Amino acid sequence: MARPELPPGSRSIDLNCLGEPDRALDKPHFTAVIDLLGPFLDANPSASLLDIGCSLGGFLQQLCARWPQLRCTGIDVLPQVVDYARELQPGMDLRVGNVLDPATLPRNQDIVTLLGVHSIFDEPLVWLDGALSAGTPQVRLVVFGLFNPEDVDTLVRVRRSGPGTPGEWQSGWTLWSRRTVEAGLRERGLWWRWTALAPPRTVSRWSEDPLHSWSTEVDGQQRLINGSQLIHQHAVLEIARCAHGGST
């Protein structure tokens, strides 16, 4: 499939799925997030679930294979990605939408997932109000991606260097500290829980895109890095509304 031009504000890696669909359909973290959701979905097999930033729908595909009655919706901000996803996932509810524009989101979802989405923004919780607006009062948000266990926020910009004119600067995988995120959740009176995730399998380097991640050994353990050479600190953050806020 021909790779289209990048729209303003998008990152090169967001369109990699168009050239490498198999990799987008089975990312290493899918299994870990599905296992975390398993107890709830076993008890509520016909729940509604919205995946924000669904790409080609691979995560939803795996969920529906395990819970066929699950009512799944996926949104992505890139129309060409949604068009291709609809070809690959006929019958699945896939839409163009933006978490920063709640009017584009469905409502009354039991679960809302954001996998690798929050780190593209220059503010730590700019996505939160939109994600909450898509859910029921009892909605459970499940956010996977990079969170720094140290009390340091790292705003990332990357560009390719080399002979001639350097590439354009683009947003990287910004690394928000858990402390910063928790402060925002506490202010809103929300409950949260962290689950640290190590890479479940080795990821080979197959792309020269500076935001593509691959496995490397650090202190005897497999870790993920990308062209920025920042070590990835992955975790799942679960969020829910509650009367008094706090964490477990």
Side-chain angles (χ1 to χ4, degrees):
M1 185 172 184
R3 185 185 180 94
E5 292 297 318
L6 279 169
S10 294
R11 306 171 309 158
S12 56
I13 198 169
D14 296 328
L15 291 174
N16 277 0
C17 61
L18 301 180
E20 296 282 347
D22 290 345
R23 298 181 189 276
L25 291 171
D26 186 23
K27 293 187 176 181
H29 58 270
F30 286 175
T31 299
V33 177
I34 289 171
D35 288 346
L36 186 148
L37 290 172
F40 177 84
L41 294 180
D42 285 340
N44 302 274
S46 59
S48 56
L49 184 147
L50 170 66
D51 186 30
I52 295 175
C54 65
S55 186
L56 299 185
F59 177 65
L60 296 179
Q61 180 186 57
Q62 293 187 28
L63 281 170
C64 291
R66 186 163 164 182
W67 294 280
Q69 295 178 321
L70 192 63
R71 294 173 288 134
C72 288
T73 303
I75 68 159
D76 201 280
V77 73
L78 297 172
Q80 57 269 56
V81 170
V82 173
D83 287 344
Y84 192 22
R86 287 170 175 164
E87 294 179 21
L88 297 174
Q89 315 287 355
M92 189 176 287
D93 185 3
L94 302 172
R95 315 176 188 180
V96 177
N98 188 335
V99 70
L100 302 185
D101 182 2
T104 67
L105 306 179
R107 292 291 186 268
N108 298 316
Q109 303 295 301
D110 298 309
I111 300 174
V112 176
T113 57
L114 299 91
L115 309 184
V117 172
H118 75 279
S119 289
I120 70 175
F121 298 113
D122 288 353
E123 296 294 334
L125 292 173
V126 68
W127 46 268
L128 180 58
D129 289 342
L132 286 173
S133 75
T136 67
Q138 295 78 36
V139 66
R140 181 181 182 185
L141 303 187
V142 178
V143 184
F144 165 83
L146 304 182
F147 294 97
N148 193 354
E150 299 289 329
D151 293 342
V152 176
D153 297 322
T154 305
L155 189 63
V156 176
R157 292 288 184 271
V158 299
R159 69 177 182 183
R160 292 207 62 82
S161 64
T165 304
E168 295 291 327
W169 288 105
Q170 58 178 318
S171 299
W173 296 115
T174 291
L175 190 59
W176 297 108
S177 71
R178 293 189 181 192
R179 183 174 185 175
T180 292
V181 172
E182 289 175 0
L185 298 176
R186 189 176 294 111
E187 288 176 1
R188 292 166 171 82
L190 298 170
W191 170 93
W192 69 88
R193 176 168 59 197
W194 297 101
T195 303
L197 285 184
R201 64 175 186 252
T202 300
V203 179
S204 62
R205 185 173 187 176
W206 57 270
S207 171
E208 291 303 313
D209 190 296
L211 294 178
H212 161 67
S213 300
W214 68 89
S215 298
T216 190
E217 188 171 302
V218 179
D219 296 331
Q221 295 183 325
Q222 287 294 311
R223 306 298 295 272
L224 292 177
I225 60 171
N226 61 18
S228 70
Q229 293 296 289
L230 294 174
I231 296 174
H232 296 356
Q233 300 281 358
H234 284 122
V236 174
L237 170 62
E238 298 173 79
I239 303 170
R241 295 184 180 96
C242 66
H244 303 292
S247 65
T248 60

